[in-house]
Amino acid sequence: MSISTTDTSCFSQVCIEKCGGKCCNPWWGIITYSIKKDGGQFRPLELKSEVVNSLTERAGRIAEKYVTNEDTPRPLFTTPERYNLAVQNIKVANKTILINLRAMFAFRCLFLSEDKKCMIHPSVTGGNEIRPEHCGYMGSPDAKPNEKGYCRIIHTAATSSDDPAAVDKAIETELMASEKHYRESYDKPEEAADGVVELVRLYCLNYAPYMLPQAASRTTGRNDVCHCGSGKKYKKCHGM
């Protein structure tokens, strides 16, 4: 399958007919960011709350950004269907914890039909481009990996005209990656945040034990607050 870099009909042929909307169902919003905790010990509940708030805020930014380019804009997304959150690295210096995160949000586009066709694609709207800027850039045949507008499927179709199976392989690769991200994701941001909190706790345990609350003494009462920082009574936490 050959693609001319000046022929916009290729987007309909490959994205809609060949791909079937696999890379848009769900559509993954990806963002990397950091959380910095200054001064004091590692506090699990406080960190969890901050991670949850950061996910909710960033998902909201994406939803606000992805609207149609019309006089009365229409949103493409509501809230994420799933949350995939990965800790890229953790650094601790003195009493400061820096956590670098990669968040992925699985959105279901409101303009993707039941048969997986983009209903605001120029091939459907008669050439009228009302998609958000990012959607309009995606799938540029000239874009290379890591460049704006790069799509593995379109790039493969544009560069492998002598290998008909290459596009199928690219589609399979994208589908497998999406399925993996989905399997490793969570329904709620609170669940995704729990994993981050546990990884930070383990990091501090191994590399910065001074960031953790002091171990429980033998005189800790069962009704006292647990030493681990969970906020629970000792008898309902480490005293069980």
Side-chain angles (χ1 to χ4, degrees):
M1 179 184 297
S2 61
I3 289 183
S4 166
T5 56
T6 59
D7 181 10
T8 58
S9 65
C10 67
F11 299 116
S12 174
Q13 181 183 3
V14 178
C15 296
I16 297 178
E17 298 173 10
K18 185 72 174 175
C19 175
K22 290 181 176 62
C23 59
C24 301
N25 186 39
W27 181 87
W28 288 96
I30 305 173
I31 186 170
T32 57
Y33 66 100
S34 300
I35 289 180
K36 185 178 181 181
K37 303 291 292 180
D38 288 316
Q41 295 177 325
F42 163 60
R43 297 179 176 83
L45 295 182
E46 182 180 308
L47 176 58
K48 178 177 179 178
S49 177
E50 187 163 345
V51 173
V52 169
N53 290 338
S54 73
L55 288 173
T56 303
E57 178 186 353
R58 284 165 175 79
R61 290 181 193 172
I62 293 174
E64 290 176 0
K65 179 180 179 181
Y66 283 83
V67 296
T68 58
N69 184 25
E70 299 174 287
D71 291 337
T72 304
R74 293 176 289 168
L76 269 66
F77 312 121
T78 54
T79 56
E81 181 177 295
R82 302 278 290 183
Y83 299 81
N84 183 306
L85 186 61
V87 176
Q88 295 186 307
N89 59 67
I90 302 170
K91 297 179 181 179
V92 174
N94 297 323
K95 290 283 187 174
T96 298
I97 302 176
L98 180 65
I99 311 161
N100 294 310
L101 301 167
R102 184 203 66 194
M104 300 179 65
F105 307 94
F107 288 98
R108 296 290 177 180
C109 181
L110 301 176
F111 293 98
L112 197 65
S113 66
E114 290 185 4
D115 57 353
K116 305 300 181 286
K117 289 186 178 181
C118 175
M119 301 313 297
I120 56 173
H121 195 282
S123 65
V124 176
T125 62
N128 184 25
E129 179 61 274
I130 63 173
R131 294 175 299 174
E133 181 180 278
H134 179 76
C135 292
Y137 277 115
M138 284 304 294
S140 170
D142 294 324
K144 297 178 176 60
N146 300 319
E147 291 183 350
K148 186 176 183 179
Y150 173 75
C151 170
R152 183 196 306 273
I153 299 169
I154 290 294
H155 180 76
T156 301
T159 58
S160 303
S161 58
D162 57 341
D163 185 4
V167 175
D168 292 332
K169 182 63 177 178
I171 291 172
E172 179 184 359
T173 299
E174 290 297 321
L175 182 58
M176 290 175 62
S178 181
E179 290 176 345
K180 181 178 184 294
H181 295 323
Y182 199 89
R183 287 195 306 270
E184 296 173 351
S185 61
Y186 299 90
D187 289 328
K188 299 178 180 179
E190 289 81 5
E191 296 172 345
D194 284 335
V196 174
V197 172
E198 178 60 12
L199 285 175
V200 174
R201 186 190 72 81
L202 291 174
Y203 182 93
C204 290
L205 185 65
N206 290 313
Y207 303 106
Y210 61 88
M211 294 295 292
L212 297 172
Q214 293 298 312
S217 68
R218 294 181 180 178
T219 58
T220 300
R222 288 181 58 74
N223 288 314
D224 291 340
V225 176
C226 188
H227 61 85
C228 73
S230 67
K232 298 180 182 179
K233 291 184 178 180
Y234 179 70
K235 66 182 180 182
K236 293 185 176 180
C237 194
H238 279 72
M240 293 182 66

